[in-house]
Amino acid sequence: KQEVTQIPAALSVPEGENLVLNCSFTDSAIYNLQWFRQDPGKGLTSLLLIQSSQREQTSGRLNASLDKSSGRSTLYIAASQPGDSATYLCAVPSGVMLTFGGGTRLMVKP
Amino acid sequence: SQTIHQWPATLVQPVGSPLSLECTVEGTSNPNLYWYRQAAGRGLQLLFYSVGIGQISSEVPQNLSASRPQDRQFILSSKKLLLSDSGFYLCAWSVLGNYGYTFGSGTRLTVV
């Protein structure tokens, strides 16, 4: 059974810092990994989708990497802003369903 | 472009009342559809998924049911709500191939 873990569970940083969110999964036989953002009381917004054949994906200040062999993915946020404050979730497909990590709650202070 | 609609956004219902939440997808055909629930301060739990019209799989036995009367419509129902049914309900869709999952904006259900 696939298990997904995210570290840290919460993170508070001053504005402008570069930061890394970690995601690990137990079954490396995945065909993609997806990072989502969730604002309080809102749905999930897809940030990046990395295919198993890819090492990384970039969107603006966000960069996600994937190392299947070690069962790890990282989400790098450059020059963090208060608007980046949210919960970040990684997820991997298991059959037809997604298995989610517990999320990292990020707060960026002005 | 593909879009997903969920309604209502918020709902307050008394214990024992029925429930119907609706989700529709536009811009794609034969999607896989999902209902997830997120309890306060907790992770996402898959409740139901559907790979086609009339095909429903339940992941967690509970007081809820799901139906898919049309290709791009997914409905979550209950005949009698319990306090424990309170939570944030999210609908999602995916298609075959490595295109990821797309989530709706969610429904906040409070059972009182």
Side-chain angles (χ1 to χ4, degrees), chain B residues 12-69:
Chain B
V12 180
Q13 292 283 95
V15 169
S17 64
L19 172 74
S20 181
L21 302 181
E22 190 162 343
C23 171
T24 59
V25 179
E26 296 178 358
T28 187
S29 296
N30 197 30
N32 293 333
L33 297 172
Y34 311 84
W35 279 111
Y36 282 84
R37 178 171 60 198
Q38 189 175 37
R42 302 187 67 178
L44 284 145
Q45 179 186 41
L46 178 65
L47 302 176
F48 301 95
Y49 68 90
S50 171
V51 298
I53 297 174
Q55 301 178 60
I56 308 295
S57 296
S58 173
E59 289 295 306
V60 182
Q62 59 211 317
N63 185 42
L64 302 169
S65 62
S67 62
R68 184 170 178 173

Short mmCIF file of all heavy atoms in Angstrom, two decimals, chain B residues 12-69:
data_model
loop_
_atom_site.label_atom_id
_atom_site.label_comp_id
_atom_site.label_asym_id
_atom_site.label_seq_id
_atom_site.Cartn_x
_atom_site.Cartn_y
_atom_site.Cartn_z
N VAL B 12 -25.65 24.13 5.51
CA VAL B 12 -25.90 23.79 6.91
C VAL B 12 -27.19 23.00 6.95
O VAL B 12 -28.24 23.49 6.50
CB VAL B 12 -26.01 25.06 7.78
CG1 VAL B 12 -26.28 24.66 9.24
CG2 VAL B 12 -24.74 25.89 7.69
N GLN B 13 -27.09 21.78 7.46
CA GLN B 13 -28.24 20.88 7.44
C GLN B 13 -28.46 20.27 8.83
O GLN B 13 -27.49 19.98 9.53
CB GLN B 13 -28.01 19.74 6.45
CG GLN B 13 -27.99 20.16 4.98
CD GLN B 13 -29.38 20.41 4.46
OE1 GLN B 13 -29.83 21.58 4.45
NE2 GLN B 13 -30.07 19.38 4.02
N PRO B 14 -29.71 20.07 9.22
CA PRO B 14 -29.96 19.42 10.51
C PRO B 14 -29.71 17.92 10.43
O PRO B 14 -29.80 17.30 9.34
CB PRO B 14 -31.45 19.71 10.77
CG PRO B 14 -32.03 19.94 9.42
CD PRO B 14 -30.95 20.53 8.58
N VAL B 15 -29.38 17.34 11.56
CA VAL B 15 -29.24 15.89 11.66
C VAL B 15 -30.52 15.21 11.18
O VAL B 15 -31.62 15.65 11.50
CB VAL B 15 -28.93 15.47 13.12
CG1 VAL B 15 -29.03 13.97 13.29
CG2 VAL B 15 -27.53 15.94 13.52
N GLY B 16 -30.35 14.15 10.39
CA GLY B 16 -31.50 13.41 9.91
C GLY B 16 -32.07 13.89 8.60
O GLY B 16 -32.94 13.23 8.01
N SER B 17 -31.58 15.01 8.12
CA SER B 17 -32.08 15.54 6.84
C SER B 17 -31.34 14.90 5.68
O SER B 17 -30.25 14.35 5.85
CB SER B 17 -31.92 17.06 6.80
OG SER B 17 -30.57 17.41 6.84
N PRO B 18 -31.90 14.94 4.47
CA PRO B 18 -31.21 14.37 3.31
C PRO B 18 -30.16 15.33 2.76
O PRO B 18 -30.11 16.50 3.09
CB PRO B 18 -32.36 14.18 2.30
CG PRO B 18 -33.33 15.25 2.66
CD PRO B 18 -33.25 15.42 4.14
N LEU B 19 -29.31 14.77 1.91
CA LEU B 19 -28.22 15.55 1.32
C LEU B 19 -28.11 15.24 -0.16
O LEU B 19 -28.25 14.08 -0.58
CB LEU B 19 -26.89 15.21 2.00
CG LEU B 19 -25.64 15.82 1.36
CD1 LEU B 19 -25.56 17.30 1.67
CD2 LEU B 19 -24.38 15.10 1.84
N SER B 20 -27.83 16.26 -0.94
CA SER B 20 -27.49 16.06 -2.35
C SER B 20 -26.48 17.12 -2.76
O SER B 20 -26.78 18.30 -2.76
CB SER B 20 -28.74 16.15 -3.22
OG SER B 20 -28.40 15.94 -4.58
N LEU B 21 -25.28 16.67 -3.07
CA LEU B 21 -24.23 17.55 -3.59
C LEU B 21 -23.97 17.16 -5.03
O LEU B 21 -23.88 15.98 -5.35
CB LEU B 21 -22.94 17.41 -2.77
CG LEU B 21 -23.02 17.67 -1.28
CD1 LEU B 21 -21.63 17.50 -0.66
CD2 LEU B 21 -23.57 19.05 -0.99
N GLU B 22 -23.80 18.17 -5.86
CA GLU B 22 -23.64 17.89 -7.28
C GLU B 22 -22.31 18.41 -7.82
O GLU B 22 -21.81 19.44 -7.40
CB GLU B 22 -24.79 18.51 -8.07
CG GLU B 22 -24.85 18.08 -9.51
CD GLU B 22 -26.19 18.33 -10.16
OE1 GLU B 22 -27.18 18.53 -9.43
OE2 GLU B 22 -26.25 18.30 -11.41
N CYS B 23 -21.79 17.65 -8.76
CA CYS B 23 -20.53 18.00 -9.40
C CYS B 23 -20.69 17.75 -10.90
O CYS B 23 -21.17 16.69 -11.29
CB CYS B 23 -19.42 17.13 -8.83
SG CYS B 23 -17.83 17.25 -9.67
N THR B 24 -20.30 18.73 -11.69
CA THR B 24 -20.33 18.53 -13.14
C THR B 24 -19.00 18.95 -13.74
O THR B 24 -18.34 19.86 -13.25
CB THR B 24 -21.46 19.32 -13.81
OG1 THR B 24 -21.28 20.71 -13.53
CG2 THR B 24 -22.82 18.88 -13.31
N VAL B 25 -18.63 18.26 -14.79
CA VAL B 25 -17.38 18.54 -15.49
C VAL B 25 -17.70 18.95 -16.91
O VAL B 25 -18.61 18.38 -17.54
CB VAL B 25 -16.48 17.28 -15.48
CG1 VAL B 25 -15.19 17.53 -16.23
CG2 VAL B 25 -16.19 16.84 -14.06
N GLU B 26 -16.97 19.91 -17.43
CA GLU B 26 -17.15 20.35 -18.81
C GLU B 26 -15.83 20.26 -19.55
O GLU B 26 -14.76 20.38 -18.98
CB GLU B 26 -17.64 21.81 -18.83
CG GLU B 26 -19.00 22.02 -18.20
CD GLU B 26 -19.40 23.48 -18.21
OE1 GLU B 26 -18.61 24.33 -18.66
OE2 GLU B 26 -20.52 23.79 -17.73
N GLY B 27 -15.92 20.01 -20.84
CA GLY B 27 -14.74 20.04 -21.68
C GLY B 27 -13.96 18.74 -21.77
O GLY B 27 -12.84 18.73 -22.29
N THR B 28 -14.54 17.65 -21.28
CA THR B 28 -13.87 16.37 -21.39
C THR B 28 -14.92 15.28 -21.47
O THR B 28 -16.08 15.49 -21.09
CB THR B 28 -12.93 16.12 -20.19
OG1 THR B 28 -12.17 14.93 -20.42
CG2 THR B 28 -13.71 15.97 -18.90
N SER B 29 -14.53 14.13 -21.98
CA SER B 29 -15.47 13.02 -22.09
C SER B 29 -14.96 11.81 -21.32
O SER B 29 -13.75 11.59 -21.22
CB SER B 29 -15.64 12.62 -23.56
OG SER B 29 -16.21 13.68 -24.28
N ASN B 30 -15.91 11.06 -20.77
CA ASN B 30 -15.62 9.84 -20.05
C ASN B 30 -14.54 10.02 -18.97
O ASN B 30 -13.57 9.26 -18.91
CB ASN B 30 -15.19 8.72 -21.01
CG ASN B 30 -15.27 7.37 -20.37
OD1 ASN B 30 -16.08 7.13 -19.48
ND2 ASN B 30 -14.39 6.46 -20.78
N PRO B 31 -14.69 11.03 -18.14
CA PRO B 31 -13.69 11.21 -17.08
C PRO B 31 -13.90 10.21 -15.95
O PRO B 31 -15.01 9.69 -15.76
CB PRO B 31 -13.96 12.63 -16.59
CG PRO B 31 -15.43 12.79 -16.79
CD PRO B 31 -15.76 12.03 -18.04
N ASN B 32 -12.85 9.95 -15.21
CA ASN B 32 -13.00 9.30 -13.91
C ASN B 32 -13.42 10.42 -12.94
O ASN B 32 -12.85 11.51 -12.97
CB ASN B 32 -11.69 8.68 -13.43
CG ASN B 32 -11.26 7.52 -14.29
OD1 ASN B 32 -12.09 6.84 -14.92
ND2 ASN B 32 -9.97 7.28 -14.36
N LEU B 33 -14.38 10.14 -12.08
CA LEU B 33 -14.88 11.14 -11.14
C LEU B 33 -14.72 10.64 -9.71
O LEU B 33 -14.83 9.44 -9.46
CB LEU B 33 -16.36 11.46 -11.43
CG LEU B 33 -16.63 12.08 -12.80
CD1 LEU B 33 -18.14 12.17 -13.06
CD2 LEU B 33 -16.00 13.46 -12.89
N TYR B 34 -14.48 11.56 -8.81
CA TYR B 34 -14.16 11.20 -7.43
C TYR B 34 -14.87 12.13 -6.45
O TYR B 34 -15.05 13.32 -6.73
CB TYR B 34 -12.65 11.34 -7.17
CG TYR B 34 -11.77 10.67 -8.19
CD1 TYR B 34 -11.43 11.33 -9.37
CD2 TYR B 34 -11.28 9.39 -7.98
CE1 TYR B 34 -10.62 10.71 -10.32
CE2 TYR B 34 -10.46 8.77 -8.92
CZ TYR B 34 -10.14 9.44 -10.08
OH TYR B 34 -9.34 8.83 -11.02
N TRP B 35 -15.23 11.58 -5.30
CA TRP B 35 -15.66 12.38 -4.15
C TRP B 35 -14.67 12.13 -3.02
O TRP B 35 -14.44 10.99 -2.63
CB TRP B 35 -17.05 12.02 -3.68
CG TRP B 35 -18.16 12.63 -4.46
CD1 TRP B 35 -19.04 12.00 -5.29
CD2 TRP B 35 -18.54 14.01 -4.49
NE1 TRP B 35 -19.92 12.89 -5.84
CE2 TRP B 35 -19.64 14.14 -5.36
CE3 TRP B 35 -18.07 15.16 -3.84
CZ2 TRP B 35 -20.27 15.35 -5.62
CZ3 TRP B 35 -18.69 16.37 -4.10
CH2 TRP B 35 -19.78 16.47 -4.97
N TYR B 36 -14.10 13.23 -2.51
CA TYR B 36 -13.22 13.18 -1.35
C TYR B 36 -13.87 13.97 -0.22
O TYR B 36 -14.63 14.91 -0.45
CB TYR B 36 -11.86 13.82 -1.65
CG TYR B 36 -10.91 12.98 -2.44
CD1 TYR B 36 -10.97 12.92 -3.83
CD2 TYR B 36 -9.91 12.24 -1.79
CE1 TYR B 36 -10.07 12.16 -4.56
CE2 TYR B 36 -9.01 11.47 -2.52
CZ TYR B 36 -9.10 11.44 -3.90
OH TYR B 36 -8.21 10.68 -4.61
N ARG B 37 -13.52 13.60 1.00
CA ARG B 37 -13.94 14.39 2.17
C ARG B 37 -12.71 14.75 2.97
O ARG B 37 -11.79 13.94 3.14
CB ARG B 37 -14.90 13.61 3.07
CG ARG B 37 -15.31 14.38 4.33
CD ARG B 37 -16.44 13.69 5.09
NE ARG B 37 -16.07 12.37 5.53
CZ ARG B 37 -16.96 11.44 5.89
NH1 ARG B 37 -18.26 11.70 5.86
NH2 ARG B 37 -16.54 10.26 6.29
N GLN B 38 -12.73 15.98 3.48
CA GLN B 38 -11.65 16.47 4.32
C GLN B 38 -12.27 16.94 5.63
O GLN B 38 -12.95 17.97 5.66
CB GLN B 38 -10.91 17.61 3.62
CG GLN B 38 -9.65 18.06 4.29
CD GLN B 38 -8.95 19.13 3.46
OE1 GLN B 38 -9.57 19.97 2.85
NE2 GLN B 38 -7.62 19.07 3.42
N ALA B 39 -12.06 16.17 6.69
CA ALA B 39 -12.56 16.59 7.99
C ALA B 39 -11.64 17.69 8.53
O ALA B 39 -10.49 17.81 8.11
CB ALA B 39 -12.61 15.40 8.94
N ALA B 40 -12.15 18.47 9.47
CA ALA B 40 -11.41 19.60 10.01
C ALA B 40 -10.04 19.17 10.52
O ALA B 40 -9.94 18.28 11.37
CB ALA B 40 -12.21 20.26 11.13
N GLY B 41 -8.99 19.79 9.99
CA GLY B 41 -7.64 19.52 10.45
C GLY B 41 -7.09 18.15 10.06
O GLY B 41 -6.07 17.73 10.59
N ARG B 42 -7.77 17.51 9.13
CA ARG B 42 -7.33 16.17 8.75
C ARG B 42 -7.09 16.08 7.25
O ARG B 42 -7.33 17.04 6.51
CB ARG B 42 -8.38 15.14 9.19
CG ARG B 42 -8.65 15.19 10.68
CD ARG B 42 -9.57 14.08 11.12
NE ARG B 42 -8.94 12.77 10.97
CZ ARG B 42 -9.54 11.65 11.33
NH1 ARG B 42 -10.76 11.66 11.82
NH2 ARG B 42 -8.93 10.48 11.17
N GLY B 43 -6.61 14.95 6.82
CA GLY B 43 -6.27 14.76 5.42
C GLY B 43 -7.48 14.44 4.56
O GLY B 43 -8.62 14.41 5.02
N LEU B 44 -7.20 14.18 3.30
CA LEU B 44 -8.25 13.89 2.32
C LEU B 44 -8.55 12.40 2.30
O LEU B 44 -7.64 11.58 2.20
CB LEU B 44 -7.80 14.34 0.94
CG LEU B 44 -7.86 15.84 0.74
CD1 LEU B 44 -6.75 16.32 -0.13
CD2 LEU B 44 -9.21 16.22 0.14
N GLN B 45 -9.81 12.08 2.36
CA GLN B 45 -10.25 10.70 2.36
C GLN B 45 -11.10 10.45 1.12
O GLN B 45 -12.10 11.15 0.89
CB GLN B 45 -11.07 10.43 3.63
CG GLN B 45 -11.62 9.02 3.73
CD GLN B 45 -12.55 8.87 4.93
OE1 GLN B 45 -13.35 9.75 5.25
NE2 GLN B 45 -12.41 7.75 5.63
N LEU B 46 -10.73 9.47 0.32
CA LEU B 46 -11.52 9.13 -0.85
C LEU B 46 -12.79 8.41 -0.41
O LEU B 46 -12.73 7.43 0.32
CB LEU B 46 -10.72 8.24 -1.80
CG LEU B 46 -11.44 7.77 -3.06
CD1 LEU B 46 -11.79 8.96 -3.95
CD2 LEU B 46 -10.60 6.76 -3.82
N LEU B 47 -13.93 8.91 -0.86
CA LEU B 47 -15.22 8.30 -0.52
C LEU B 47 -15.72 7.40 -1.65
O LEU B 47 -16.08 6.25 -1.41
CB LEU B 47 -16.26 9.39 -0.25
CG LEU B 47 -15.93 10.39 0.85
CD1 LEU B 47 -17.01 11.45 0.92
CD2 LEU B 47 -15.77 9.69 2.19
N PHE B 48 -15.80 7.93 -2.84
CA PHE B 48 -16.32 7.20 -3.99
C PHE B 48 -15.53 7.58 -5.23
O PHE B 48 -15.01 8.69 -5.34
CB PHE B 48 -17.80 7.55 -4.25
CG PHE B 48 -18.72 7.25 -3.11
CD1 PHE B 48 -19.04 8.23 -2.19
CD2 PHE B 48 -19.26 5.99 -2.95
CE1 PHE B 48 -19.89 7.96 -1.13
CE2 PHE B 48 -20.11 5.71 -1.89
CZ PHE B 48 -20.42 6.70 -0.98
N TYR B 49 -15.50 6.65 -6.19
CA TYR B 49 -15.01 7.00 -7.50
C TYR B 49 -15.83 6.27 -8.55
O TYR B 49 -16.49 5.26 -8.26
CB TYR B 49 -13.51 6.72 -7.67
CG TYR B 49 -13.10 5.27 -7.67
CD1 TYR B 49 -13.06 4.54 -8.86
CD2 TYR B 49 -12.73 4.64 -6.49
CE1 TYR B 49 -12.66 3.22 -8.87
CE2 TYR B 49 -12.32 3.32 -6.49
CZ TYR B 49 -12.28 2.61 -7.67
OH TYR B 49 -11.89 1.30 -7.67
N SER B 50 -15.80 6.83 -9.75
CA SER B 50 -16.60 6.28 -10.84
C SER B 50 -15.80 6.34 -12.13
O SER B 50 -15.24 7.38 -12.48
CB SER B 50 -17.90 7.08 -11.00
OG SER B 50 -18.59 6.70 -12.16
N VAL B 51 -15.76 5.23 -12.86
CA VAL B 51 -15.05 5.19 -14.12
C VAL B 51 -16.01 5.27 -15.31
O VAL B 51 -15.57 5.28 -16.47
CB VAL B 51 -14.15 3.93 -14.24
CG1 VAL B 51 -13.10 3.95 -13.14
CG2 VAL B 51 -15.00 2.67 -14.16
N GLY B 52 -17.31 5.30 -15.03
CA GLY B 52 -18.28 5.41 -16.11
C GLY B 52 -19.69 5.57 -15.56
O GLY B 52 -19.93 5.42 -14.36
N ILE B 53 -20.62 5.86 -16.45
CA ILE B 53 -22.03 6.04 -16.05
C ILE B 53 -22.52 4.82 -15.30
O ILE B 53 -22.37 3.69 -15.77
CB ILE B 53 -22.91 6.31 -17.28
CG1 ILE B 53 -22.50 7.62 -17.95
CG2 ILE B 53 -24.38 6.39 -16.87
CD1 ILE B 53 -23.22 7.88 -19.25
N GLY B 54 -23.11 5.07 -14.13
CA GLY B 54 -23.69 3.99 -13.34
C GLY B 54 -22.69 3.13 -12.61
O GLY B 54 -23.07 2.20 -11.89
N GLN B 55 -21.39 3.39 -12.79
CA GLN B 55 -20.35 2.58 -12.14
C GLN B 55 -19.79 3.35 -10.96
O GLN B 55 -19.13 4.38 -11.15
CB GLN B 55 -19.23 2.25 -13.13
CG GLN B 55 -19.68 1.48 -14.35
CD GLN B 55 -18.53 1.24 -15.31
OE1 GLN B 55 -17.54 0.60 -14.95
NE2 GLN B 55 -18.63 1.76 -16.51
N ILE B 56 -20.07 2.85 -9.75
CA ILE B 56 -19.65 3.52 -8.53
C ILE B 56 -18.89 2.54 -7.68
O ILE B 56 -19.35 1.42 -7.45
CB ILE B 56 -20.87 4.04 -7.72
CG1 ILE B 56 -21.79 4.88 -8.60
CG2 ILE B 56 -20.37 4.82 -6.50
CD1 ILE B 56 -21.18 6.16 -9.11
N SER B 57 -17.73 2.97 -7.19
CA SER B 57 -16.97 2.18 -6.23
C SER B 57 -16.86 2.97 -4.95
O SER B 57 -16.58 4.17 -4.96
CB SER B 57 -15.57 1.86 -6.77
OG SER B 57 -15.65 1.07 -7.92
N SER B 58 -17.10 2.28 -3.83
CA SER B 58 -17.05 2.91 -2.53
C SER B 58 -15.78 2.49 -1.81
O SER B 58 -15.46 1.30 -1.78
CB SER B 58 -18.27 2.51 -1.69
OG SER B 58 -18.15 3.00 -0.37
N GLU B 59 -15.08 3.48 -1.28
CA GLU B 59 -13.84 3.18 -0.57
C GLU B 59 -14.05 3.05 0.93
O GLU B 59 -13.28 2.39 1.62
CB GLU B 59 -12.81 4.28 -0.84
CG GLU B 59 -12.26 4.25 -2.25
CD GLU B 59 -11.48 2.98 -2.53
OE1 GLU B 59 -10.55 2.67 -1.77
OE2 GLU B 59 -11.83 2.27 -3.50
N VAL B 60 -15.08 3.71 1.44
CA VAL B 60 -15.28 3.73 2.88
C VAL B 60 -16.76 3.49 3.16
O VAL B 60 -17.60 4.26 2.72
CB VAL B 60 -14.86 5.08 3.49
CG1 VAL B 60 -15.04 5.05 4.99
CG2 VAL B 60 -13.42 5.42 3.13
N PRO B 61 -17.09 2.44 3.91
CA PRO B 61 -18.51 2.23 4.25
C PRO B 61 -19.00 3.35 5.15
O PRO B 61 -18.32 3.75 6.08
CB PRO B 61 -18.50 0.89 4.99
CG PRO B 61 -17.10 0.66 5.41
CD PRO B 61 -16.22 1.39 4.45
N GLN B 62 -20.17 3.89 4.85
CA GLN B 62 -20.62 5.06 5.59
C GLN B 62 -22.07 5.35 5.27
O GLN B 62 -22.74 4.56 4.63
CB GLN B 62 -19.77 6.25 5.17
CG GLN B 62 -19.88 6.53 3.69
CD GLN B 62 -18.58 7.12 3.18
OE1 GLN B 62 -17.99 7.98 3.80
NE2 GLN B 62 -18.12 6.63 2.04
N ASN B 63 -22.47 6.52 5.71
CA ASN B 63 -23.85 6.95 5.59
C ASN B 63 -24.14 7.62 4.25
O ASN B 63 -25.22 8.17 4.05
CB ASN B 63 -24.12 7.93 6.75
CG ASN B 63 -25.54 8.37 6.83
OD1 ASN B 63 -26.44 7.56 6.67
ND2 ASN B 63 -25.77 9.66 7.03
N LEU B 64 -23.18 7.59 3.33
CA LEU B 64 -23.32 8.32 2.09
C LEU B 64 -23.40 7.37 0.90
O LEU B 64 -22.98 6.22 0.98
CB LEU B 64 -22.11 9.25 1.91
CG LEU B 64 -21.87 10.26 3.03
CD1 LEU B 64 -20.51 10.92 2.86
CD2 LEU B 64 -22.96 11.32 3.05
N SER B 65 -23.92 7.88 -0.20
CA SER B 65 -23.94 7.13 -1.45
C SER B 65 -23.62 8.09 -2.59
O SER B 65 -23.66 9.31 -2.42
CB SER B 65 -25.31 6.48 -1.67
OG SER B 65 -26.32 7.47 -1.77
N ALA B 66 -23.27 7.52 -3.72
CA ALA B 66 -22.95 8.35 -4.88
C ALA B 66 -23.65 7.78 -6.10
O ALA B 66 -23.94 6.58 -6.17
CB ALA B 66 -21.45 8.41 -5.10
N SER B 67 -23.90 8.65 -7.07
CA SER B 67 -24.50 8.21 -8.32
C SER B 67 -23.91 9.01 -9.47
O SER B 67 -23.44 10.14 -9.29
CB SER B 67 -26.03 8.39 -8.28
OG SER B 67 -26.37 9.76 -8.12
N ARG B 68 -23.92 8.39 -10.63
CA ARG B 68 -23.41 9.06 -11.84
C ARG B 68 -24.46 8.87 -12.93
O ARG B 68 -24.37 7.93 -13.73
CB ARG B 68 -22.06 8.48 -12.26
CG ARG B 68 -21.44 9.20 -13.45
CD ARG B 68 -20.02 8.73 -13.65
NE ARG B 68 -19.40 9.35 -14.82
CZ ARG B 68 -18.13 9.21 -15.14
NH1 ARG B 68 -17.34 8.46 -14.39
NH2 ARG B 68 -17.64 9.80 -16.21
N PRO B 69 -25.44 9.73 -12.97
CA PRO B 69 -26.53 9.57 -13.94
C PRO B 69 -26.14 9.96 -15.37
O PRO B 69 -26.76 9.47 -16.33
CB PRO B 69 -27.61 10.51 -13.41
CG PRO B 69 -26.86 11.53 -12.61
CD PRO B 69 -25.68 10.83 -12.04
#
